[in-house]
Amino acid sequence: MFLPYSVVNPLTLIEIERRLPRAGEVLVAEGELVESFQLVAKATEQPRFGIVNVARELHLPPKKVKPALKVKVGEQVTAGTILAARGMLGERVSRAPFDGTITGYGHGRLLLEAPPVEVQLTALAPGRVARVWPEEGITVQTYGAFMQGVWGNNQEGYGVLQLAVRTPHQPLRARRLDASMQGAIVVGGAGLDAEALAQATEMQISGLIVGGISPQLLPKLAVVNFPILITEGIGETPISSAVFTLLRDLAGRETVLSAHWSARWTARPYVAVPMPAESGRVVEPESPLMIGSQVRALRAPLLGKTGVIAKLPANKIELETGARLAGAYVDFDGEVDFVPFPNLERIF
Amino acid sequence: MQTEQALESILIADCGTVATKMLLLERVETRYRFIAQVEVLTTINPPWEDVSVGVTHAIEEVEQITSRTLLSGGRLITPRDGLSGVDAFVVILSGVEPLHLVLAGLVKEMSLESARRAATGTYTVVDGVISREGSLHSPEGAWARAIRDLAPDAVLLVGGVDGGASRPVMELADAIALGTSLLGSEERPLLLYAGNAKLRSRITKLLGGLTEVEVVDNVRPSVDKEYLAPARDLIEQIFLEKRLQKVPGVETLSGWSNFPLLSTAAAFGRVVEYLWHREDNTNRGVLGIDLGAANTTVMACFDGRLYPTVHGGCGIAYGPLAWVKKYGLARLQRWLPEEISAEQLLSFLYNRELHPATVPQELSELWIELAVVREMLRTALRIARPVWNVGADISLYGDMMPYLDPILISGGGIVHLPRPGQALLAVLDGLEPVGITTMLLDVHRVAPALGAVAGIKPLAAASALSPDTLVSLGTVISPIGHASDGDTILSMKIQYDDGSELDVEAHYGELEVWPLLPGQQATVELQPHRRFDVGLGRRGKGGTIQVQGGLLGLVVDARGRPLRLPADGEKRRKLLRRWIWDVGG
């Protein structure tokens, strides 16, 4: 049976892609060893620009604008600079709306571009540069623990992993977040409330990992300044036992949290904990599904539960909805339930 | 390429957003039949990023079912070698990102509306509209920024009737040129020009040095004339070139096939067109609905003319969240037979998008899924209907649906519903058909595949299109009108093939189902109440019709048209529960 899969692995080969948002310069070479905060690539952001319609502002036909111009193409101006004036006493003037450089003129209009902003990309994880994508970025390779999430708020961070809950079912509350967590990647449990989110911001944590989160809170996650990764799904969902056990074992270690996410998982959030190792377990997605294979349920009422295949029935089984589907009996920490194949993923 | 006669076994891969369907069509004596159908995960997206991985898995499953060898060294054996392999392999695709467009034009309700209609003929998403209309200030900067920031695949520039306005169109073209010039050569959008014919050479001269320019006939050659076909065909062609042919792994599949790639919508459209010609009923149109994970396709055929509409990026899994932001949760909640909180509903929609291939395991989730189906159908129909050019004899009641027979229902969003009654109810609520309609369900998801086969061996497609292929749900009679709950609005005498008779009445507000098995026919005498039209020409007019049986039988949707739901939540939920019960859902 061919199922989707996620990686939740204590020691495996980790490949981290670092890509610039637009073409730029790669600063490291293939094979080079890099540190987390090392600058590996940079690019110039798209400049902000504006068109100043001088002809319209001076009430002149476009052909008569040129003599009225007070600036030249290539000249730098500050906000408020007079770009053109009409009449001896300057009865009508056209001013620059922001700081920038005049980069073009035509049809009675000036093109003004704001100064460029540089985007800098760090390695994020310590490791070896396995591949250089000229002008685009690099792939950093390392070994360690790796775990994929399902949703993130498109930020990234680095810090020591700390648990703020005792069990994966416990929601994260503000009182569990204190000053000792400043700069840490904090593990919550089954979601958090607005108060805990505000406290996390106040405590300046470096990242947050939770099983699920209320959909009403999602818009607020876009404006916090640290990465938040959801391991299972939206809603107050506990972190699955396989993921929580791994995170608990990794507490105290330097951890990378990338919460970059996009629809259809063209970017998928992850937690990586680099280790001083030279080898790890190989992920084999093509290996056959069998009794004992580790899986996770993807849909209510079992959403986010991890377990192992206990039985693969030959016949289709009827669900509460009336659908008859092929699937597997899964042992979720001692409790065996039937899950149809479309609602299962494998864990490697 | 093989001759048409030599094609005795055809393998069709239909790669959707979440599922890849693989069908094997073979000649068995004088007819063509589907002898194997499997469905596996589509592997276009990460972690695989190679569509051929899923296709290979699907072929392996077909090998297991048929005990035949189809692959050799990881490659499909074609042409057939004895009992191994197949004569032809066809690939149809829809599981890719739609084409992103920016529309630019002068008047929102005229040329821009036509541009939007042309764009909905295939898998597109309109990211932005730049319009001359209503702008008091000079918006060139904003227009250029929109082009640069959105970096669409293409800009469709329209505006000005032929020989009409020039300057405002050229202002738009100037801004598009500026926006385009600010993008890297790889990111620059194509410029599709379908405006004032007089400006073609100026537009080409202005933008030709910056990007690829394609010119087609004006979508609005005059104020009262709309001409969409050339622009629509061009956009379909670009979708094929820029999207389908660039799907990772598609090269591998093309290497196994001598036939061109086809979009699923185009293939589905062929089947709808064929059904119209087969029915040969000029008093009715034929409608096909394909509700997939990421797109909803509506194909309507009237007078032999096909009207294709794809609601790109809006299917059962991808799109409902964005839809809720636009229309609100209440429109979904009104279809729920039990109270479900906004929190639970939103969580469902998010998780459905995160795991698009999953199925509901609990009834409450099934109810939400059915509500989404209804609203996606209603939305897709709202987009599709303005394009239909329907004669007054087919569309008697303005805003209501024209007469349609049959309605073909396809796509994982509907055919995977657990019970046929659930599918029927969702379609009746979503489409609100009127009059007499046969409902065909594409249970085996073969309709797009048949459309693809029709392109290479029409006889094979026609012979495979049997009642076993597209399964009838039954005949639905939907009287038009309103009355008080419980009023008798239709009397019927059903005469079965075996000579037995049944005198029945349909009461307002009810969904009535009478047995008529698949393959059975019956003669039905209809006598509607004087205030109701059952599709026989006018209100109160009765008559005798032949009806076909189906999985549900003969259904009378006596809930009136347009459908009215009680405003009171508890009453509405009770009614919804009753309707689900009525259709055996």
Side-chain angles (χ1 to χ4, degrees):
Chain A
M1 190 62 211
F2 180 44
L3 298 181
Y5 68 91
S6 287
V7 179
V8 179
N9 197 310
L11 185 58
T12 188
L13 175 67
I14 302 170
E15 289 199 324
I16 294 174
E17 265 195 28
R18 306 294 288 156
R19 296 259 188 176
L20 289 164
R22 54 185 291 116
E25 188 187 354
V26 174
L27 306 170
V28 290
E30 220 165 88
E32 203 174 311
L33 291 175
V34 289
E35 289 302 321
S36 305
F37 295 109
Q38 186 176 337
L39 191 64
V40 293
K42 62 180 183 180
T44 307
E45 265 287 20
Q46 297 250 37
R48 185 163 73 100
F49 74 95
I51 295 172
V52 184
N53 195 329
V54 178
R56 192 167 291 180
E57 289 181 13
L58 298 190
H59 289 212
L60 280 174
K63 282 179 187 165
K64 293 191 176 173
V65 166
K66 215 161 189 179
L69 289 179
K70 303 291 178 201
V71 289
K72 291 181 193 150
V73 171
E75 195 172 325
Q76 288 193 356
V77 295
T78 53
T81 301
I82 294 177
L83 303 175
R86 181 186 175 186
M88 294 296 285
L89 299 171
E91 293 96 1
R92 284 186 181 276
V93 293
S94 173
R95 292 178 188 275
F98 53 82
D99 296 355
T101 306
I102 306 292
T103 55
Y105 170 77
H107 303 292
R109 294 168 297 182
L110 282 170
L111 182 64
L112 177 65
E113 283 191 18
V117 179
E118 196 174 78
V119 184
Q120 298 186 329
L121 202 62
T122 61
L124 194 61
R128 189 176 58 82
V129 179
R131 183 160 181 187
V132 169
W133 311 83
E135 297 184 355
E136 292 178 23
I138 60 166
T139 300
V140 178
Q141 223 174 52
T142 185
Y143 282 93
F146 189 74
M147 190 213 84
Q148 289 175 306
V150 296
W151 192 90
N153 66 343
N154 287 312
Q155 298 199 43
E156 58 188 31
Y158 190 85
V160 173
L161 195 71
Q162 279 198 48
L163 266 65
V165 290
R166 270 189 232 105
T167 72
H169 302 274
Q170 241 178 320
L172 183 62
R173 296 290 172 246
R175 63 189 150 78
R176 296 197 168 270
L177 295 161
D178 57 40
S180 71
M181 288 174 181
Q182 183 181 12
I185 303 284
V186 176
V187 180
L192 75 164
D193 55 19
E195 200 188 339
L197 186 64
Q199 178 76 354
T201 310
E202 173 106 15
M203 289 300 122
Q204 296 179 0
I205 67 169
S206 280
L208 182 61
I209 302 166
V210 286
I213 214 155
S214 159
Q216 322 275 8
L217 212 54
L218 286 177
K220 290 189 176 170
L221 305 194
V223 293
V224 298
N225 58 357
F226 56 87
I228 300 177
L229 177 143
I230 292 173
T231 63
E232 315 302 331
I234 306 302
E236 295 234 328
T237 311
I239 297 181
S240 68
S241 57
V243 173
F244 192 79
T245 305
L246 178 58
L247 291 171
R248 194 177 51 203
D249 293 347
L250 295 167
R253 288 182 179 271
E254 292 286 340
T255 300
V256 171
L257 198 167
S258 168
H260 290 292
W261 174 86
S262 66
R264 305 188 191 192
W265 285 346
T266 46
R268 195 169 171 185
Y270 62 83
V271 178
V273 182
M275 309 260 193
E278 290 300 317
S279 64
R281 212 170 86 191
V282 180
V283 171
E284 289 178 300
E286 294 289 314
S287 60
L289 183 77
M290 55 178 74
I291 291 171
S293 295
Q294 204 177 10
V295 289
R296 170 156 52 189
L298 303 175
R299 187 100 184 217
L302 301 161
L303 173 67
K305 284 195 169 185
T306 49
V308 291
I309 301 280
K311 193 177 161 193
L312 288 163
N315 298 328
K316 293 178 176 176
I317 306 288
E318 186 164 336
L319 307 179
E320 179 188 317
T321 57
R324 289 183 65 83
L325 294 166
Y329 285 97
V330 182
D331 184 342
F332 295 108
D333 298 325
E335 195 180 306
V336 178
D337 279 299
F338 175 77
V339 185
F341 284 132
N343 294 357
L344 274 183
E345 71 166 358
R346 296 186 70 178
I347 298 280
F348 290 105
Chain B
M1 194 178 287
Q2 302 240 319
T3 62
E4 193 184 302
Q5 279 67 28
L7 303 180
E8 297 204 343
S9 59
I10 305 169
L11 190 66
I12 308 113
D14 176 359
C15 307
T17 309
V18 300
T20 291
K21 284 77 69 182
M22 184 69 65
L23 297 116
L24 180 58
L25 184 70
E26 276 213 339
R27 198 168 80 174
V28 181
E29 295 172 351
T30 56
R31 290 180 63 91
Y32 279 82
R33 290 182 193 284
F34 286 105
I35 61 163
Q37 190 261 11
V38 301
E39 201 169 306
V40 301
L41 268 182
T42 291
T43 52
I44 289 175
N45 292 318
W48 301 281
E49 291 183 275
D50 183 345
V51 70
S52 70
V53 173
V55 169
T56 305
H57 274 279
I59 297 173
E60 284 166 356
E61 288 198 21
V62 172
E63 283 182 317
Q64 280 173 20
I65 293 170
T66 58
S67 302
R68 276 175 42 181
T69 305
L70 299 176
L71 291 164
S72 170
R75 196 186 149 81
L76 180 70
I77 304 165
T78 181
R80 190 157 43 97
D81 180 11
L83 288 175
S84 303
V86 290
D87 293 321
F89 177 56
V90 189
V91 182
I92 50 180
L93 267 167
S94 65
V96 296
E97 185 69 17
L99 207 61
H100 288 261
L101 295 181
V102 164
L103 308 182
L106 304 185
V107 185
K108 279 185 181 154
E109 308 221 322
M110 296 279 288
S111 55
L112 276 168
E113 192 51 40
S114 298
R116 195 180 285 277
R117 287 174 190 165
T120 55
T122 190
Y123 301 86
T124 62
V125 170
V126 176
D127 287 338
V129 175
I130 58 179
S131 158
R132 179 78 246 184
E133 191 180 332
S135 51
L136 296 172
H137 304 290
S138 173
E140 293 97 324
W143 292 342
R145 265 195 299 278
I147 300 292
R148 185 198 66 175
D149 296 345
L150 294 170
D153 297 302
V155 178
L156 175 57
L157 174 60
V158 294
V161 296
D162 283 345
S166 298
R167 197 173 139 208
V169 180
M170 289 312 296
E171 278 179 12
L172 282 165
D174 273 339
I176 294 166
L178 176 60
T180 303
S181 70
L182 294 165
L183 287 165
S185 54
E186 292 290 304
E187 298 169 292
R188 289 182 181 178
L190 291 175
L191 191 279
L192 319 178
Y193 182 63
N196 183 354
K198 187 175 81 176
L199 301 176
R200 285 176 187 168
S201 59
R202 284 174 68 189
I203 298 278
T204 309
K205 196 174 162 195
L206 175 69
L207 282 139
L210 290 169
T211 186
E212 206 178 314
V213 178
E214 297 278 357
V215 172
V216 285
D217 290 343
N218 194 346
V219 289
R220 277 272 176 179
S222 61
V223 175
D224 55 353
K225 195 173 170 199
E226 186 174 62
Y227 186 39
L228 301 179
R232 193 181 267 165
D233 293 347
L234 176 63
I235 297 168
E236 169 78 14
Q237 186 56 34
I238 291 166
F239 175 69
L240 280 171
E241 287 168 14
K242 301 280 172 192
R243 281 289 187 276
L244 297 193
Q245 285 167 8
K246 291 194 175 165
V247 167
V250 93
E251 264 181 41
T252 308
L253 304 184
S254 296
W256 301 348
S257 174
N258 286 327
F259 301 99
L261 275 175
L262 198 63
S263 76
T264 306
F268 186 59
R270 283 183 189 168
V271 175
V272 172
E273 232 173 337
Y274 172 79
L275 286 175
W276 189 90
H277 288 285
R278 190 186 71 172
E279 296 299 316
D280 193 25
N281 188 346
T282 50
N283 296 322
R284 298 279 186 275
V286 172
L287 183 70
I289 297 275
D290 182 352
L291 179 59
N295 304 291
T296 308
T297 304
V298 179
M299 291 284 166
C301 193
F302 297 99
D303 268 334
R305 192 173 159 198
L306 187 71
Y307 298 89
T309 307
V310 181
H311 192 199
C314 209
I316 184 77
Y318 297 110
L321 266 176
W323 183 93
V324 161
K325 280 179 190 147
K326 194 169 176 186
Y327 298 105
L329 271 180
R331 277 172 72 165
L332 277 183
Q333 281 169 315
R334 67 180 170 158
W335 295 111
L336 299 174
E338 59 186 62
E339 250 185 302
I340 292 174
S341 69
E343 169 102 7
Q344 198 185 341
L345 194 48
L346 275 175
S347 297
F348 170 93
L349 297 177
Y350 274 105
N351 289 324
R352 191 74 174 86
E353 203 165 286
L354 290 174
H355 303 298
T358 57
V359 296
Q361 265 179 263
E362 294 178 310
L363 277 175
S364 60
E365 292 223 332
L366 178 64
W367 304 145
I368 303 176
E369 194 119 345
L370 281 166
V372 173
V373 170
R374 288 160 164 129
E375 283 302 328
M376 290 308 109
L377 293 181
R378 293 173 89 88
T379 306
L381 209 60
R382 255 199 313 277
I383 295 166
R385 282 203 52 190
V387 187
W388 300 352
N389 187 8
V390 185
D393 52 338
I394 304 181
S395 185
L396 293 178
Y397 298 94
D399 290 344
M400 278 183 249
M401 285 285 267
Y403 295 135
L404 297 162
D405 191 22
I407 293 177
L408 169 61
I409 307 149
S410 185
I414 303 183
V415 303
H416 279 174
L417 289 169
R419 296 203 168 105
Q422 294 159 354
L424 180 71
L425 184 61
V427 171
L428 290 178
D429 293 344
L431 304 181
E432 296 193 35
V434 298
I436 302 153
T437 307
T438 313
M439 293 283 183
L440 300 176
L441 189 66
D442 183 15
V443 181
H444 309 295
R445 310 187 69 186
V446 298
L450 281 172
V453 172
I456 59 169
K457 193 164 175 75
L459 280 176
S463 101
L465 193 65
S466 65
D468 303 334
T469 319
L470 301 177
V471 177
S472 172
L473 285 175
T475 302
V476 179
I477 301 170
S478 309
I480 303 158
H482 285 292
S484 299
D485 280 347
D487 285 358
T488 302
I489 63 166
L490 177 65
S491 303
M492 298 194 298
K493 182 189 280 287
I494 307 170
Q495 291 177 307
Y496 291 95
D497 280 348
D498 63 4
S500 58
E501 287 186 0
L502 199 60
D503 286 306
V504 293
E505 287 179 339
H507 303 102
Y508 186 78
E510 307 277 338
L511 264 171
E512 316 260 14
V513 183
W514 287 283
L516 190 59
L517 296 172
Q520 270 192 338
Q521 286 191 19
T523 305
V524 183
E525 277 178 46
L526 298 165
Q527 188 48 61
H529 183 274
R530 62 186 165 80
R531 279 189 282 135
F532 282 81
D533 181 353
V534 287
L536 295 176
R538 62 179 160 78
R539 290 179 197 273
K541 188 178 177 193
T544 302
I545 57 166
Q546 287 285 322
V547 295
Q548 307 291 326
L551 295 177
L552 286 161
L554 175 61
V555 179
V556 175
D557 184 352
R559 300 175 300 167
R561 292 287 183 272
L563 188 62
R564 291 173 182 166
L565 291 174
D568 177 77
E570 198 37 58
K571 266 191 196 164
R572 189 178 60 246
R573 286 188 283 275
K574 196 174 161 192
L575 198 57
L576 285 162
R577 285 195 290 271
R578 202 179 75 204
W579 291 340
I580 291 165
W581 173 261
D582 286 343
V583 293

